[in-house]
């Protein structure tokens, strides 16, 4: 399969410290590519580097165009939506203001919010900071999914959420992935199994494994690289 | 009682002046993380140019003063916007360099103003009514205080409306909270930087003309001395908080007036002590966010 995003030799530093080292990976132009690894290996930093949110060097090509020298807003304007690790909704703004702010040029699809997260509509005037964690994640996902995107960068969307909300979020991502390719960071391996066709595994800021998702999840590489056993995952 | 009232209203009038400077400082810091040491220069230049134009329209007349205030607003906005576009933008996200540039501009501009208008303050003529007083429950309140208070209140209302009702206002409010995430939504936050500089500059520019009304003179150092109080106000109010700046402006000025009158001219000391007290008890300021 061809790639929508190719990354070659990506280095990223935060406060002078190298957190991503010589990372090369491809995001397929269809479906979900999962970026895995233990805590602190540099998954979030890799995504931030792609978006120009950290200092970075290396070659990043998106749909045939180099984007590693662009400012963040220009990268996003090319159709790359970002759902950050800790949701990062604007707590002082209302739900509606959060959504309005995120509307990009083109034809934002507000109907998709009613479809995926109907409960957000009743809370349009509520301050986002007073929403539950799950509701904040719905806002964060809506901000991304209502735009016309060509790539989604989604960082731990189910982190800290109750099982019911994990289901809602997974369903929403599954629907999104049918239309838009996605690079997904996710610790919940059941979610990875449900969504991803390919995995890229990081360790110490470097890529240590790339391959089909199911084969990886069924092998003992899961234990070696992620420190969990496949049994635990089934539980 | 009449003394208390006089000190109170005079304090609020001085607070209005502080607010016109501090509002922009606080917004600029809140959005961009830059303490703008050139802010006083916007004020001084607007004060001089407002006076120069105003006296040609009608020295000591209301028309002259109103035109002067308008000139002050426009000059402040333009100079601030140009400062942002030329100096600050080139140093995008390099906060220490940005602050150093504003320090340099602040120092150099005072020398320039001295070169043009001299080192001594120039006495100015004002509409007669402003030099008279109004009796409020027995206290004789200098009329210029009403002009200051009314103007600052209007500026406060306009800025709040701008922040609440416009799309730029939305970007600014969001950016004060989390600038990085604003850019990650595909928004060029640098445009909001220019807007915030222009708004802050306009308020400071109006403040420059009103400062000349308050002191009865224009001078090359007017901005610098007000800037110090505005910084204190901004920190006490909470960096980035407009309402904090409004409350702290009045608080600082009133404390200053009372200490000057009742504690033998210790107004400045009282202000510094208030600053220390707030920093000890609430390091983020009265209305400041805990995290930034
Ligand atoms: N702002 C920062 N300042 C200093 N170090 C940082 C910062 N952000 C991340 N790091 C470091 O960079 C490394 C990679 O962090 P990153 O957040 O990318 O990991 P991660 O794989 O996303 O982890 P997690 O699974 O816990 O989300 C870590 O060692 C972390 O301590
Ligand atoms: Mg992470």
């Amino acid at each position: 399969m061809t790639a929508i995003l190719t990354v070659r030799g990506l280095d990223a530093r935060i406060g002078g410290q190298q957190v991503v080292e010589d990372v090369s990976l491809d995001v397929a132009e269809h479906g979900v590519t999962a970026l895995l690894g233990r805590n602190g290996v540099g998954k979030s930093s890799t995504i931030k580097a792609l978006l120009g949110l950290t200092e970075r060097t290396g070659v990043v090509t998106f749909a045939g165009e180099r984007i590693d020298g662009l400012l963040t807003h220009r990268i996003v304007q090319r159709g790359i939506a970002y759902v950050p690790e800790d949701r990062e909704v604007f707590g002082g703004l209302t739900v509606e203001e959060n959504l309005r702010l995120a509307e990009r040029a083109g034809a934002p699809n507000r109907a998709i919010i009613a479809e995926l997260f109907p409960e957000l509509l009743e809370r349009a005037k509520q301050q986002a900071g007073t929403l539950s964690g799950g509701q904040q994640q719905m806002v964060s996902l809506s901000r991304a999914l209502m735009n016309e995107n060509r790539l989604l960068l989604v960082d731990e969307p189910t982190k800290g959420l109750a099982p019911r909300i994990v289901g809602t979020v997974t369903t929403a991502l599954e629907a999104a992935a049918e239309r838009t390719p996605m690079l997904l960071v996710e610790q919940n391996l059941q979610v990875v199994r449900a969504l991803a066709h390919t995995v890229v595994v990081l360790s110490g800021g470097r890529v240590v494994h790339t391959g089909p998702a199911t084969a990886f999840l069924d092998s003992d590489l899961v234990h070696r690289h992620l420190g969990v056993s496949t049994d635990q995952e089934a539980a | 009682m009449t003394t208390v009232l006089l000190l109170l209203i005079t304090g609020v009038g001085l607070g209005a002046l502080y607010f016109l400077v501090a509002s922009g400082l606080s917004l600029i810091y809140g959005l961009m993380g830059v303490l703008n040491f050139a802010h006083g220069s916007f004020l001084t230049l607007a004060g001089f140019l407002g006076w120069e134009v105003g006296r040609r329209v009608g020295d000591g007349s209301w028309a002259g003063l109103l035109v002067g205030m308008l000139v002050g607003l426009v000059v402040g906005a333009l100079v601030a916007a140009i400062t942002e576009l030329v100096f600050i933008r080139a140093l995008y996200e390099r906060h220490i360099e940005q602050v150093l540039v504003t320090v340099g501009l602040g120092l150099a501009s005072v020398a320039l103003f001295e070169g043009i208008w001299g080192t001594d303050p120039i006495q100015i003529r004002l509409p007669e009514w402003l030099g008279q007083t109004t009796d409020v429950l027995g206290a004789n309140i200098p009329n210029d205080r009403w002009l200051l208070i009314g103007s600052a209140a209007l500026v406060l209302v306009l800025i709040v409306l701008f922040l609440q009702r416009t799309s730029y206002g939305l970007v600014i409010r969001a950016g004060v909270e989390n600038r990085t995430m604003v850019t990650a939504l595909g928004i060029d936050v640098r445009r909001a930087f220019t807007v915030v500089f222009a708004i802050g500059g306009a308020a400071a520019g109006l403040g420059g003309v009103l400062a000349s009304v308050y002191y009865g003179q224009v001078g090359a150092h007017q901005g610098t001395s007000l800037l110090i109080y505005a910084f204190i106000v901004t920190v006490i109010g909470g960096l980035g908080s407009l309402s904090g700046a409004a409350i702290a402006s009045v608080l600082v000025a009133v404390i200053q007036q009372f200490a000057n009158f009742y504690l033998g001219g210790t107004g400045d000391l009282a202000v510094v002590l208030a600053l220390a007290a707030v920093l000890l008890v609430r390091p983020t300021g009265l209305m400041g966010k805990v995290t930034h």
Side-chain angles (χ1 to χ4, degrees), chain B residues 108-125:
Chain B
S109 62
V110 170
L112 181 70
F113 300 148
E114 284 183 342
I116 300 172
W117 286 286
T119 46
D120 294 329
I122 304 165
Q123 303 299 313
I124 65 169
R125 291 184 56 203

Side-chain angles (χ1 to χ4, degrees), chain A residues 14 17 19 37-46 85 156 187:
Chain A
I14 299 177
Q17 196 199 328
V19 292
R38 297 177 197 233
N39 289 115
V41 297
K43 305 180 296 291
S44 299
S45 303
T46 299
E85 179 166 5
E156 302 213 25
Q187 306 257 18

Side-chain angles (χ1 to χ4, degrees), chain B residues 119-144:
Chain B
T119 46
D120 294 329
I122 304 165
Q123 303 299 313
I124 65 169
R125 291 184 56 203
L126 292 165
E128 227 167 85
W129 181 80
L130 287 174
Q132 298 162 354
T133 59
T134 302
D135 186 314
V136 177
L137 305 172
N140 291 319
I141 311 295
N143 284 337
D144 58 4

Side-chain angles (χ1 to χ4, degrees), chain A residues 51 53 71-74 76-77 80-84 87-94 97-98 100-104 140 143, chain B residues 92 163-167 169-191 289:
Chain A
L51 285 162
L53 292 171
L71 288 171
T72 301
H73 69 272
R74 296 225 191 285
V76 173
Q77 282 166 5
I80 301 183
Y82 174 45
V83 181
R87 308 184 255 276
E88 304 206 26
V89 298
F90 299 97
L93 308 188
T94 64
E97 286 172 332
N98 268 276
R100 201 181 332 138
L101 190 71
E103 282 184 343
R104 297 205 305 269
S140 187
R143 288 194 306 203
Chain B
Y92 186 58
L163 290 177
Q164 295 294 335
R165 299 282 170 83
T166 68
S167 57
L170 182 60
V171 172
I172 292 166
R173 281 185 292 143
V176 168
E177 235 186 82
N178 184 346
R179 184 175 60 232
T180 307
M181 197 56 218
V182 172
T183 67
L185 292 176
I187 296 164
D188 185 359
V189 77
R190 295 172 306 172
R191 285 215 294 240
K289 300 201 177 62

Side-chain angles (χ1 to χ4, degrees), chain B residues 4-254:
Chain B
V4 170
L5 202 60
L6 175 67
L7 290 173
L8 206 60
I9 297 179
T10 299
V12 176
L14 184 60
L17 212 49
Y18 291 166
F19 172 74
L20 289 172
V21 189
S23 52
L25 276 184
S26 194
L27 277 178
I28 290 169
Y29 183 84
L31 184 65
M32 308 171 58
V34 175
L35 273 181
N36 177 26
F37 282 85
H39 215 68
S41 308
F42 305 162
L43 181 147
T44 308
L45 181 65
F48 274 124
L49 292 181
W51 166 69
E52 289 283 12
V53 175
R55 75 194 170 101
R56 286 177 173 78
V57 171
D59 205 13
S61 74
W62 275 107
L65 179 61
L66 290 177
V67 169
M69 286 165 67
L70 213 61
V71 168
L73 271 171
V74 173
V75 167
L78 281 179
V79 174
I82 291 169
T83 302
E84 199 283 323
L85 285 169
V86 175
F87 297 101
I88 306 293
R89 181 165 291 203
L91 299 167
Y92 186 58
E93 291 291 326
R94 288 161 62 185
H95 293 176
I96 293 174
E97 284 92 334
Q98 287 176 330
V99 172
L100 287 179
V101 162
T102 70
V103 171
L105 284 175
L107 294 175
S109 62
V110 170
L112 181 70
F113 300 148
E114 284 183 342
I116 300 172
W117 286 286
T119 46
D120 294 329
I122 304 165
Q123 303 299 313
I124 65 169
R125 291 184 56 203
L126 292 165
E128 227 167 85
W129 181 80
L130 287 174
Q132 298 162 354
T133 59
T134 302
D135 186 314
V136 177
L137 305 172
N140 291 319
I141 311 295
N143 284 337
D144 58 4
R145 306 298 188 268
W146 309 124
L147 180 67
L148 264 60
I149 294 168
S151 306
L154 188 65
V155 166
L156 174 61
V157 169
L158 288 177
I159 295 181
V160 168
L161 282 177
F162 179 83
L163 290 177
Q164 295 294 335
R165 299 282 170 83
T166 68
S167 57
Y168 270 116
L170 182 60
V171 172
I172 292 166
R173 281 185 292 143
V176 168
E177 235 186 82
N178 184 346
R179 184 175 60 232
T180 307
M181 197 56 218
V182 172
T183 67
L185 292 176
I187 296 164
D188 185 359
V189 77
R190 295 172 306 172
R191 285 215 294 240
F193 293 174
T194 315
V195 172
V196 159
F197 255 83
I199 292 175
L206 179 63
V209 178
L210 292 175
S212 67
V213 171
Y214 185 85
Y215 296 113
Q217 58 190 28
V218 286
H221 295 275
Q222 227 147 39
T224 315
S225 46
L226 273 169
L227 187 64
I228 295 166
Y229 293 108
F231 271 136
I232 293 175
V233 160
T234 309
V235 173
I236 289 182
L239 286 157
S241 165
L242 188 70
S243 50
I247 294 167
S249 295
V250 172
L251 216 59
V252 164
V254 168

